[in-house]
Amino acid sequence: MNTLTLAHYYTVPEVQAMADYVGDSLELSLIAQRERADRIVFAGVQFMAETAKMLNPHAQVILPDQGATCSLVTQTDIDALKQWRERHADCVHVSYINSSAEHKTVSDWVVTSRNVDDIIAALYAQGKKVIFSPDRNMGAYLNYQYGYDMPVWNAVCEVHDKFKHEQINRMIEQANAKGTAYLLAHPESPLPVLLHADMVGSTKQMLDWVKNFEGDPDSTTLFIATEEGLLHNMRQLRPELNLRQAPIYTGCQCNACPYMKRNTVDLVVRAQQGKGFVIDYLDDETIEKARAPIERMLNFSKKRSAKNAA
Ligand code: 13P
Ligand code: SF4
């Protein structure tokens, strides 16, 4: 059996080392769509494994641990979401990929943190009215940054929502007294944090920013406001840089996603042997309806990268 193992950057380094590919939500979706595997082991969370199943329905898709969910999914009541969507029937419904399969069936577009800005800008350029779900922080940021007036659903990533700008600003001030400090933040973070950030982007965009950073390593501190797993990838790329996890409200300098961390080495090994939470509960109609907005997004991103490369 041809088994493909995919891992998100937020999984522990040992699990990332077991994967054929490590990436952000967009990359992993593109790989799941492209690769012809009999079995896909998804070391990530449930919505990612569901997305892989929709894009590669003939593969057996296994999530190593059934408890690997996401607060953006569990905080969203689907009946209430459907009513909200109906109340805004004249709008295009753009949903973040961190959403359940059923959520995606009532969405016109699915986006990731890497392409959300471009897709919503394209919709506004066409004169469309847009509603955004489920991430309140990301929606607030887009409305503020681009002057949109999108109604936004009210759920958060419980990991990124813990970042508090007061603590972060204090650390940045201390670091600035000795040199230059920068803040990189994931758009799932609260708006006040994002407003103080030098760079806002997906995990992959943050990695690329660090990879290409040209400042003096001896006098620079880079604060990273995202799940702590990404620091490992950044340090591998640029070991000489002073990379610091941004503090959370407890003052603690750690911020781990409890769902991503359920992907232990042992469970990934078991999943590679066919044991784990098999994504076999999505019916054909759900797969078809949920896949359409995902494919729309993947086609948009492929065209955009082809245009940028030309
Ligand atoms: P990206 O890696 O696509 O930025 O997503 C972050 C995330 O929270 C995944 O759960
Ligand atoms: Fe969900 Fe946040 Fe964990 Fe990502 S980091 S899986 S958004 S809870």
Side-chain angles (χ1 to χ4, degrees):
M1 175 169 300
N2 170 16
T3 299
L4 175 74
T5 303
L6 304 178
H8 189 269
Y9 292 121
Y10 295 164
T11 56
V12 294
E14 297 78 8
V15 164
Q16 293 189 28
M18 296 166 77
D20 298 298
Y21 295 96
V22 181
D24 68 357
S25 308
L26 178 62
E27 263 175 313
L28 295 176
S29 303
L30 286 164
I31 293 163
Q33 183 190 44
R34 185 187 73 208
E35 299 285 317
R36 296 270 70 89
D38 303 314
R39 174 181 292 151
I40 299 176
V41 171
F42 213 122
V45 291
Q46 191 174 349
F47 74 80
M48 295 179 172
E50 287 177 348
T51 303
K53 180 70 185 175
M54 290 168 206
L55 293 170
N56 207 332
H58 300 297
Q60 179 193 47
V61 178
I62 305 184
L63 185 69
D65 187 285
Q66 189 173 359
T69 180
C70 168
S71 63
L72 284 162
V73 173
T74 54
Q75 290 176 9
T76 300
D77 177 274
I78 286 295
D79 291 334
L81 179 94
K82 286 180 178 169
Q83 285 167 19
W84 180 73
R85 203 271 165 274
E86 275 168 26
R87 281 202 302 282
H88 296 285
D90 57 333
C91 295
V92 176
H93 182 197
V94 176
S95 297
Y96 189 32
I97 196 164
N98 298 35
S99 51
S100 67
E102 203 176 347
H103 187 141
K104 291 182 175 80
T105 65
V106 293
S107 307
D108 300 301
W109 284 83
V110 163
V111 294
T112 76
S113 48
R114 188 138 50 114
N115 53 31
V116 60
D117 300 58
D118 289 345
I119 288 175
I120 294 183
L123 292 170
Y124 269 92
Q126 291 163 18
K128 300 271 172 38
K129 284 167 72 180
V130 179
I131 55 171
F132 182 74
S133 70
D135 192 323
R136 176 183 81 204
N137 289 335
M138 194 178 283
Y141 175 69
L142 293 161
N143 276 341
Y144 182 91
Q145 184 73 2
Y146 302 106
Y148 302 147
D149 51 0
M150 297 183 294
V152 171
W153 189 254
N154 186 13
V156 292
C157 160
E158 66 180 57
V159 176
H160 289 85
D161 200 51
K162 288 199 181 97
F163 292 118
K164 290 281 174 285
H165 75 284
E166 291 91 345
Q167 271 98 335
I168 294 178
N169 289 355
R170 218 169 296 135
M171 292 190 79
I172 287 179
E173 269 170 35
Q174 284 166 6
N176 270 333
K178 297 182 210 142
T180 312
Y182 294 88
L183 173 65
L184 281 69
H186 194 279
E188 292 169 9
S189 308
L191 183 60
V193 173
L194 298 172
L195 295 183
H196 288 92
D198 298 287
M199 183 271 172
V200 175
S202 80
T203 49
K204 173 75 167 83
Q205 287 170 320
M206 292 165 106
L207 265 183
D208 288 344
W209 196 96
V210 167
K211 185 176 163 196
N212 299 323
F213 180 71
E214 288 180 351
D216 173 15
D218 295 331
S219 61
T220 305
T221 310
L222 302 179
F223 289 96
I224 314 297
T226 193
E227 209 272 355
E228 62 185 36
L230 193 66
L231 272 281
H232 159 72
N233 303 81
M234 290 178 169
R235 288 185 177 126
Q236 271 188 328
L237 282 174
R238 297 293 302 270
E240 81 285 14
L241 290 178
N242 185 12
L243 292 155
R244 308 254 316 257
Q245 174 74 27
I248 57 173
Y249 61 79
T250 56
C252 164
Q253 282 184 59
C254 58
N255 202 3
C257 173
Y259 312 113
M260 289 284 185
K261 299 308 190 234
R262 293 183 84 116
N263 295 285
T264 60
V265 169
D266 288 352
L267 289 179
V268 175
V269 170
R270 273 173 58 82
Q272 288 170 334
Q273 294 162 354
K275 289 172 244 155
F277 182 47
V278 181
I279 310 294
D280 58 1
Y281 51 85
L282 301 172
D283 59 52
D284 291 348
E285 195 188 341
T286 303
I287 290 187
E288 208 174 304
K289 277 195 187 157
R291 188 173 50 214
I294 301 171
E295 284 183 338
R296 206 164 281 139
M297 174 266 290
L298 294 178
N299 290 339
F300 179 98
S301 275
K302 283 180 210 164
K303 276 192 205 141
R304 198 41 80 96
S305 9
K307 202 169 143 197
N308 290 346

